[in-house]
């Protein structure tokens, strides 16, 4: 009987060891998973790039040659995608779970195994990479489990010493998101960091876990096809603000329109500020009574 979920990705390693030693901390690679991931490898549309193109009806992202990264890409159709791939452009198929109940089931079970919040954005992506091509050095704001299906792909990974727990993606040499720049002083390396750099070679049946924020770049040897299970997990900021909105929405005073905040009438602006000060004073009185169970109860429901 085939195992579904996290344990199928870990080989001889236990889920407890993975969660304690690698999850959210450092990359993890395992090889020779062919038998354990048979339910995925046997999916008809994952047998080759042409098989996937034959099943696909949505736009496909083609990475332009100037950067070789999704930050520089165009959307294309199945007919033109094959031509672009033959001209050395990598392809990205997003939300592949939409065509497969099997992948939807795996995503749901992985979320449970990992204990992710219910508001986590989980999806499957397929990367088709021509020989000698790959992705530029970057880090993601999400976590990835990469299953190599066909071909060989080299990965280079390095710890991120520029920023802890980034909330936005960043590619070296590309513009930085304003929110990311606000807590990094806009400083990033100009090339792939060498401190702690490691190389991992993925072949069919290999799995690589890439933590959020870890620098990485890739290059295919021969045509390569990889299936990613990607999880954009909410931060504590996200959970708190979600619960805060839920709590404040119970109050008719907080639900009132924010009127006059940009009025040319100074008296109206002052009245709006005073109104908000009153609301904030009430919130300050309420917050000391909040507990973690109140916040998680609002965002995750009752798990007792």
């Amino acid at each position: 009987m085939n195992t579904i979920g996290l344990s199928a990705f870990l080989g001889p390693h236990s889920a407890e060891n993975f969660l304690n030693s690698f999850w959210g901390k450092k990359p993890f690679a395992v090889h020779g998973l062919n038998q354990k991931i048979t339910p995925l490898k046997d999916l008809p549309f994952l047998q080759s790039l042409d098989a996937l193109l034959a099943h696909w009806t949505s736009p496909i992202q083609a990475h332009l040659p100037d950067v070789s990264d999704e930050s520089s890409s165009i959307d294309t159709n199945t007919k033109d995608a094959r031509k672009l791939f033959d001209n050395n452009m990598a392809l990205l198929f997003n939300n592949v779970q939409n065509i497969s109940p099997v992948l939807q089931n795996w995503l749901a079970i992985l979320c449970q195994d990992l204990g992710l919040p219910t508001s986590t954005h989980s999806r499957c992506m397929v990367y088709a990479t021509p020989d000698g091509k790959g992705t530029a050095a970057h880090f993601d704001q999400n976590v990835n489990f990469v299953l190599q299906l066909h071909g060989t792909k080299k990965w280079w990974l390095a710890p991120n010493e520029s920023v802890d727990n980034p909330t936005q993606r960043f590619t070296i040499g590309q513009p930085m998101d304003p929110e990311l720049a606000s807590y990094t002083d806009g400083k990033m390396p100009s090339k792939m960091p060498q401190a702690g750099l490691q190389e991992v070679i993925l072949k069919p049946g290999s799995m690589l876990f890439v933590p959020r924020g870890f620098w990485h770049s890739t290059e295919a040897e021969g045509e390569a096809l990889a299936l990613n299970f990607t999880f954009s997990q909410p931060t504590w900021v996200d959970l708190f603000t979600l619960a805060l909105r839920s709590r404040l929405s119970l109050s008719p005073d907080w639900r009132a329109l924010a009127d006059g905040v940009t009025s040319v009438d100074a008296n109206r602006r002052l009245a709006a500020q005073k109104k908000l000060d009153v609301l904030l004073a009430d919130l300050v009185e309420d917050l000391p009574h909040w507990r973690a169970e109140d916040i998680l109860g609002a965002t995750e429901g009752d798990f007792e």
Side-chain angles (χ1 to χ4, degrees):
M1 182 177 179
N2 290 311
T3 302
I4 297 176
L6 182 61
S7 60
F9 290 172
L10 302 181
H13 306 274
S14 69
E16 181 180 9
N17 176 58
F18 171 77
L19 293 171
N20 289 335
S21 301
F22 296 94
W23 174 252
K25 300 172 184 175
K26 55 185 178 180
F28 172 86
V30 64
H31 308 282
L33 295 178
N34 293 293
Q35 186 174 357
K36 287 197 170 187
I37 60 172
T38 295
L40 300 174
K41 287 185 60 182
D42 286 352
L43 289 170
F45 59 87
L46 293 180
Q47 299 310 299
S48 66
L49 172 58
D50 288 328
L52 181 54
L53 288 170
H55 282 80
W56 200 254
T57 58
S58 301
I60 301 163
Q61 191 178 99
H63 298 167
L64 299 175
D66 60 336
V67 181
S68 297
D69 183 77
E70 61 189 70
S71 62
S72 178
S73 62
I74 58 171
D75 284 343
T76 187
N77 55 39
T78 54
K79 179 180 179 181
D80 293 336
R82 180 77 235 193
K83 297 176 183 177
L84 294 172
F85 184 84
D86 291 339
N87 281 280
N88 292 322
M89 295 188 194
L91 303 176
L92 170 57
F93 299 77
N94 211 345
N95 291 310
V96 185
Q97 76 279 359
N98 290 342
I99 66 169
S100 173
V102 172
L103 293 181
Q104 292 173 18
N105 189 38
W106 275 72
L107 281 172
I109 292 175
L110 283 166
C111 281
Q112 292 177 356
D113 291 345
L114 295 166
L116 302 184
T118 55
S119 53
T120 297
H121 180 207
S122 59
R123 64 195 188 279
C124 287
M125 301 184 292
V126 171
Y127 287 86
T129 312
D131 179 35
K133 298 298 180 179
T135 54
H138 69 284
F139 60 74
D140 296 309
Q141 80 282 14
N142 46 43
V143 300
N144 283 279
F145 292 87
V146 182
L147 291 180
Q148 194 66 31
L149 300 177
H150 305 286
T152 299
K153 203 171 200 179
K154 288 184 177 180
W155 284 70
W156 293 273
L157 306 105
N160 192 335
E161 297 181 355
S162 300
V163 56
D164 290 330
N165 299 324
T167 56
Q168 303 293 329
R169 188 181 191 275
F170 175 73
T171 300
I172 288 178
Q174 296 300 294
M176 189 182 301
D177 179 89
E179 180 178 295
L180 181 62
S182 71
Y183 52 81
T184 60
D185 296 326
K187 297 177 182 178
M188 287 291 172
S190 59
K191 61 181 181 179
M192 183 72 172
Q194 298 300 298
L197 184 69
Q198 60 179 299
E199 180 183 271
V200 178
I201 299 177
L202 301 186
K203 296 184 177 182
S206 296
M207 190 285 298
L208 173 65
F209 166 70
V210 184
R212 166 193 180 200
F214 231 82
W215 291 106
H216 55 281
S217 62
T218 67
E219 182 178 307
E221 291 185 351
E223 295 184 359
L225 201 68
L227 171 65
N228 280 30
F229 288 82
T230 300
F231 301 94
S232 298
Q233 184 178 348
T235 64
W236 291 116
V237 170
D238 297 321
L239 291 186
F240 179 76
T241 53
L242 183 63
L244 181 63
R245 178 178 175 80
S246 176
R247 181 95 160 208
L248 297 184
S249 293
L250 298 175
S251 166
D253 291 330
W254 276 102
R255 296 198 308 270
L257 293 178
D259 181 60
V261 295
T262 60
S263 176
V264 295
D265 184 338
N267 290 327
R268 286 191 67 208
R269 290 200 311 275
L270 182 60
Q273 293 171 13
K274 289 182 177 180
K275 174 62 176 176
L276 184 55
D277 278 334
V278 171
L279 292 172
L280 290 174
D282 290 341
L283 178 59
V284 168
E285 287 188 16
D286 188 37
L287 277 176
H289 305 291
W290 282 41
R291 298 293 180 268
E293 61 184 315
D294 300 320
I295 295 173
L296 298 179
T299 63
E300 313 303 317
D302 187 359
F303 283 88
E304 294 183 1

